[in-house]
Amino acid sequence: MAENSPDAARLDDPADIGRRVLRLRTERGLTQRQLAEPAYTPAYVSTLESGKVRPSEAALRHLAERLGVGYEELATGRPARLATDLRLRLTDARRALATGAPKDAAAVFRALRDEAARHGLDPERAAALQGLGDCLLESGDLTEARETFAAVERLLADEPLPRRVPAIRGRATAHLLAGELRYSCYLLETTLDELNAAGLHDPDALLLLYTASIAPYMDMGAHARAAHAAELALALAPRVSDPALVAHMHRGVARTLIAEGRTAEADASLAKAQELYQQLHIRTELAHCHWMRGYVHAQDGDLERAESELRTARDMLASKRAALFTEQVEVELADVLRRRGKAAEAEALLRPLLTPDGSDAGALGAERGAVHAGGAHRLLGLIAEERGDTDTAEEHYCAALSLLERSSAAGDVADLCRLLGDLLRRTGRVEAALDAYRTGLGHRAAPGTTTLGPAPATPPL
């Protein structure tokens, strides 16, 4: 390889290489002549060690052989096979995240990130940051997660857009979990448009983005867009070889089927996802399948099975210390418990979730799980109203409305306005009730749409 080859740019500065050659030669007790001959002169080695010349690949390979080190180590300072070793350890860290606690896996990813940074291995550093971001999502550290995914995007700024899609999806998910539904949609839709406009029809990237967009669309009440995203994801799936992506797609599609009342098809889609997650030993995603199957049974009115599935999901997530997801499941479990006549148990489950206690748990609110925080207040309002405490019920309904309106969760806002309006009407405040009903109707005026502008372009399939 000549000095002006593409790999020459990856060599260290000549001064760093020179110092490295001098150190290794001295450690081995070699003279400049012994190191140089027979191919080079002592003067050349002296010039190289002083950093005044950039050595060619041939010269570096000769010197590396005489010094008993690998070419890469001499040229870059990295130990031989370091990048390969880091990639293997990144795979192990991914496995640890799939089966264990996110905070434990995060510590490993941080160490790998720092090691890759020290040796200038940007691809491995980006992979470690991506893994760290996924850990932070599971543990509910949403602000740090967003910053971590943004760091991945900066590190890969010169790479093709499909390489940055997992980080963009991670950042969009962090905004979704924080309750920023509209911005989550914006990130996903603009990336889809950029991919399609540039002709970058990478099936893995497109499937990841379309699947990720289903949840914020559904929470915003944009069911038509969610259904269209699910159709495109299903069409892309046969071109994708990563089983984890396909499993995630089936889980996302199930949500649109539930909304359409096609619960049997939704359950079948979840069964496919569950089978793949079991094969891959991805415990968090498997818990999400139990979570959604519990929701399916609740929609069907089978509350006993719904409670069983939701308890399974909660226990699995709690054992992994996935704090935010555990809290979200507990809100949905409380809904089923209330419907089964276990109001006291439901209330006992909900109250700690809305009272920060200094730990990872008990911190649902405007900046963390806003949609489920609104759901928790709604349920506490229902429980209070059922026992005749209308003042407390109204307080919870108003708190829920504030959270859900800020999140743009249109369907939930409309339902809440109905509950609040009915309460106000029963307590004789007709004008206030009418205002609540009007607010709810405003959020239901255009079902299946958002105010985000045109839907993203459709790729050629």
Side-chain angles (χ1 to χ4, degrees):
M1 176 187 317
E3 289 181 356
N4 61 354
S5 71
D7 272 359
R10 291 200 287 268
L11 299 181
D12 268 358
D13 183 88
D16 293 329
I17 295 174
R19 283 192 291 270
R20 196 173 300 126
V21 171
L22 174 61
R23 175 177 58 79
L24 291 169
R25 179 178 66 79
T26 304
E27 288 174 358
R28 285 153 178 74
L30 298 174
T31 66
Q32 291 178 336
R33 181 178 300 280
Q34 288 171 323
L35 181 59
E37 291 180 345
Y40 299 93
T41 66
Y44 176 75
V45 172
S46 176
T47 305
L48 190 154
E49 288 181 347
S50 65
K52 295 177 181 177
V53 64
R54 178 178 288 278
S56 66
E57 181 189 355
L60 279 176
R61 291 195 181 280
H62 166 82
L63 296 171
E65 183 179 352
R66 299 303 296 269
L67 292 166
V69 297
Y71 164 78
E72 182 181 3
E73 183 174 355
L74 189 61
T76 67
R78 301 173 195 140
R81 297 182 57 81
L82 174 64
T84 302
D85 177 61
L86 275 173
R87 286 192 288 271
L88 289 172
R89 287 154 63 197
L90 282 164
T91 300
D92 290 341
R94 278 279 174 197
R95 192 174 298 116
L97 173 59
T99 58
K103 285 193 178 293
D104 295 340
V108 179
F109 280 118
R110 284 192 175 96
L112 293 171
R113 173 203 61 189
D114 294 344
E115 187 173 350
R118 280 197 305 275
H119 294 286
L121 295 170
D122 285 351
E124 288 72 23
R125 182 182 170 198
L129 282 166
Q130 182 72 36
L132 175 59
D134 291 338
C135 293
L136 294 167
L137 284 182
E138 281 203 23
S139 60
D141 301 317
L142 302 181
T143 300
E144 189 180 351
R146 287 195 299 270
E147 293 168 354
T148 301
F149 289 125
V152 178
E153 292 177 61
R154 290 193 297 272
L155 202 57
L156 300 178
D158 295 329
E159 296 288 328
L161 180 56
R163 285 272 287 115
R164 302 197 299 276
V165 162
I168 295 169
R169 177 258 183 185
R171 191 154 57 95
T173 302
H175 283 288
L176 168 68
L177 292 172
E180 299 162 354
L181 310 181
R182 195 175 301 281
Y183 190 66
S184 178
C185 287
Y186 167 78
L187 284 175
L188 297 167
E189 289 191 342
T190 53
T191 306
L192 282 165
D193 273 335
E194 191 175 344
L195 279 171
N196 289 321
L200 299 170
H201 304 304
D202 181 282
D204 285 21
L206 290 170
L207 183 66
L208 195 61
L209 291 167
Y210 281 120
T211 301
S213 67
I214 291 172
Y217 282 155
M218 293 296 294
D219 286 344
M220 291 181 69
H223 294 175
R225 285 201 187 184
H228 184 57
E231 290 172 8
L232 293 171
L234 284 166
L236 285 161
R239 298 164 55 188
V240 172
S241 58
D242 184 346
L245 283 182
V246 174
H248 194 61
M249 180 274 300
H250 282 300
R251 187 158 64 79
V253 167
R255 189 166 179 188
T256 67
L257 296 171
I258 294 167
E260 295 169 3
R262 298 157 63 183
T263 52
E265 293 171 68
D267 201 47
S269 190
L270 288 170
K272 292 176 186 175
Q274 198 163 335
E275 182 181 356
L276 288 167
Y277 287 136
Q278 285 172 333
Q279 292 170 3
L280 296 167
H281 305 291
I282 304 178
R283 191 167 175 78
T284 300
E285 301 295 351
L286 190 58
H288 277 275
C289 288
H290 285 289
W291 179 355
M292 194 169 286
R293 292 187 100 164
Y295 181 75
V296 170
H297 294 316
Q299 292 292 100
D300 271 349
D302 190 344
L303 299 181
E304 184 176 354
R305 289 179 69 188
E307 181 181 342
S308 175
E309 289 283 6
L310 290 170
R311 286 190 184 280
T312 298
R314 184 191 62 172
D315 291 347
M316 290 175 71
L317 292 167
S319 71
K320 283 191 92 263
R321 288 179 277 164
L324 178 57
F325 294 145
T326 303
E327 294 157 14
Q328 290 177 326
V329 172
E330 287 177 336
V331 173
E332 300 196 20
L333 175 59
D335 182 36
V336 170
L337 291 171
R338 185 192 69 83
R339 290 166 63 188
R340 295 198 71 192
K342 304 176 183 179
E345 187 178 349
E347 187 171 8
L349 195 60
L350 291 168
R351 287 200 177 279
L353 301 179
L354 299 170
T355 308
D357 59 2
S359 69
D360 289 331
L364 289 178
E367 304 298 325
R368 187 174 182 273
V371 173
H372 279 80
H377 277 295
R378 173 188 174 276
L379 287 171
L380 287 169
L382 285 169
I383 292 168
E385 192 171 359
E386 286 162 1
R387 65 169 179 255
D389 186 352
T390 55
D391 288 344
T392 300
E394 184 178 344
E395 288 175 9
H396 281 298
Y397 289 155
C398 289
L401 186 58
S402 174
L403 288 161
L404 295 172
E405 280 193 309
R406 190 180 302 129
S407 298
S408 303
D412 292 337
V413 169
D415 175 66
L416 193 61
C417 287
R418 177 187 59 79
L419 290 172
L420 179 58
D422 290 349
L423 174 64
L424 293 169
R425 182 172 51 82
R426 282 195 298 271
T427 55
R429 287 170 286 172
V430 177
E431 285 301 320
L434 287 172
D435 286 341
Y437 291 140
R438 289 188 192 102
T439 300
L441 287 170
H443 284 276
R444 300 297 282 175
T449 66
T450 70
T451 58
L452 294 170
T458 301
L461 298 175

